[in-house]
């Protein structure tokens, strides 16, 4: 098929993509006695992977094959922040890795948002499962007890838009985008 032809052409031209390199490394680590495993384990005793929620299944295969059970493997991630589903990152990989962890810790302090915003958000989403029952929204406290913005109004507002307001019974995505942008600009102004 098409993918076979792409592979043939890349080989003929001597071209490797990022995904090709990653797949070749995962293959080189497949066997328990693989030289690549030995080399990586001798070279690195600790591996820290930040933003782990965006790890795809092949990347996890590499980390797991190289380090799981023989090195300190630290995975830092938040499945609620997963943004790379379009390139293969998935919550299933995150959850499988989390189940293998010998130690799990959760940060209880949010350093970005202010407490009034977190309080309002928690009224809406506390206890909700985000895509999987193992990803519940837990309450957290904020490092900043009060709002750092003066005159900005309420820290959280929920806006409702009815289809009729967009001029169609079945609005298109472009209608929604235009409405949100116009509404936001008017609100900020």
């Amino acid at each position: 098929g098409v993918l076979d032809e792409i592979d043939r052409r890349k080989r003929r031209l001597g071209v490797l993509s990022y995904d090709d390199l990653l797949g070749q490394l995962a293959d080189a680590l497949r066997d328990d006695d693989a030289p690549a495993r030995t080399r990586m384990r001798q070279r690195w005793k600790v591996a820290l992977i930040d933003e782990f929620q965006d790890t795809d299944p092949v990347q996890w295969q590499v980390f797991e094959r190289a380090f799981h059970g023989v090195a300190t493997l630290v995975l830092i991630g938040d499945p609620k922040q997963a943004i790379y589903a379009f390139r293969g990152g998935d919550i299933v990989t995150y959850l499988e890795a989390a189940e293998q962890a010998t130690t799990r810790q959760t940060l209880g302090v949010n350093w970005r948002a202010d407490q009034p915003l977190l309080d309002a958000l928690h009224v809406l989403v506390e206890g909700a499962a985000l895509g999987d029952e193992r990803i519940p929204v837990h309450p957290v406290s904020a490092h900043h007890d009060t709002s750092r913005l003066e005159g900005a109004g309420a820290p959280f507002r929920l806006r409702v838009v009815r289809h009729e307001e967009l001029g169609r019974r079945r609005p298109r995505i472009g209608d929604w985008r235009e409405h949100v942008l116009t509404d936001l600009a008017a609100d900020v102004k």
Side-chain angles (χ1 to χ4, degrees):
V2 172
L3 294 177
D4 293 333
E5 180 61 24
I6 289 171
D7 284 341
R8 275 193 294 280
R9 289 182 185 193
K10 286 195 303 187
R11 275 195 306 276
R12 189 177 68 237
L13 295 170
V15 174
L16 289 172
S17 70
Y18 170 77
D19 287 337
D20 294 332
L21 293 170
L22 195 58
Q24 287 179 12
L25 178 57
D27 290 344
L29 294 167
R30 184 179 295 126
D31 298 330
D32 289 339
D33 62 347
R37 278 192 188 202
T38 303
R39 174 119 168 101
M40 290 178 76
R41 290 172 178 178
Q42 286 173 346
R43 186 162 186 185
W44 297 293
K45 302 297 180 207
V46 176
L48 184 144
I49 294 87
D50 197 8
E51 302 296 341
F52 187 76
Q53 73 275 358
D54 297 323
T55 300
D56 68 41
V58 178
Q59 291 170 326
W60 173 236
Q61 238 177 16
V62 167
F63 301 138
E64 184 180 34
R65 289 175 177 175
F67 303 115
H68 183 66
V70 295
T72 300
L73 182 57
V74 179
L75 310 175
I76 300 169
D78 180 354
K80 296 182 295 302
Q81 294 184 31
I83 62 171
Y84 287 114
F86 68 89
R87 68 159 307 279
D90 66 1
I91 296 304
V92 173
T93 299
Y94 176 93
L95 292 170
E96 286 175 4
E99 286 175 9
Q100 294 182 37
T102 55
T103 303
R104 292 178 78 171
Q105 296 191 1
T106 300
L107 297 178
V109 176
N110 183 317
W111 292 78
R112 294 179 182 166
D114 300 337
Q115 193 64 51
L117 175 60
L118 292 180
D119 291 342
L121 285 172
H122 282 290
V123 168
L124 185 65
V125 297
E126 184 175 356
L130 303 178
D132 187 283
E133 63 192 27
R134 295 168 288 176
I135 309 172
V137 177
H138 296 292
V140 296
S141 62
H143 176 70
H144 304 284
D145 293 333
T146 59
S147 178
R148 292 168 288 164
L149 295 175
E150 294 295 324
F156 177 81
R157 291 174 287 161
L158 185 61
R159 311 278 275 227
V160 176
V161 180
R162 291 176 173 68
H163 291 155
E164 306 84 53
E165 294 176 61
L166 300 177
R168 297 178 200 253
R169 186 165 179 216
R170 293 184 176 214
R172 298 183 186 120
I173 191 67
D175 299 327
W176 290 106
R177 283 189 184 123
E178 182 178 333
H179 178 82
V180 167
L181 292 172
T182 302
D183 184 60
L184 178 60
D187 191 47
V188 169
K189 182 180 174 189

